[in-house]
Amino acid sequence: MVSQCDEMKYGDVGIFVVNGSAYIKEYGQTELISRNPEFPNIQVNESDNIVCMGKVIGKLEGEYEIIND
């Protein structure tokens, strides 16, 4: 589950769009940190276009139904 937010703290996990590609990463001081060892961290440069889409606040477990309004 993701919540839109105006502010992220170091250590928060969020959905980030970096130069047009989306990632779920931990927000670090100089990089976006991968918690999955199969994927590398993303070094952040001034020239990168980075947008935070929201903060990961939890995950659904068990059975659930998605309802579209």
Side-chain angles (χ1 to χ4, degrees):
M1 296 186 296
V2 177
S3 174
Q4 287 184 321
C5 65
D6 295 331
E7 208 173 293
M8 295 281 287
K9 296 182 283 185
Y10 297 131
D12 287 344
V13 175
I15 297 178
F16 299 91
V17 178
V18 181
N19 300 324
S21 296
Y23 303 93
I24 298 175
K25 300 283 185 185
E26 179 182 329
Y27 179 55
Q29 289 184 337
T30 60
E31 61 188 352
L32 298 177
I33 301 163
S34 178
R35 292 192 175 177
N36 183 338
E38 294 182 27
F39 294 94
N41 296 345
I42 297 174
Q43 298 297 316
V44 176
N45 300 306
E46 283 186 31
S47 61
D48 289 328
N49 181 9
I50 302 173
V51 177
C52 179
M53 302 303 292
K55 179 180 175 180
V56 175
I57 58 171
K59 64 180 180 177
L60 296 176
E61 298 199 29
E63 293 186 31
Y64 57 89
E65 180 180 346
I66 297 175
I67 300 173
N68 294 319
D69 289 334

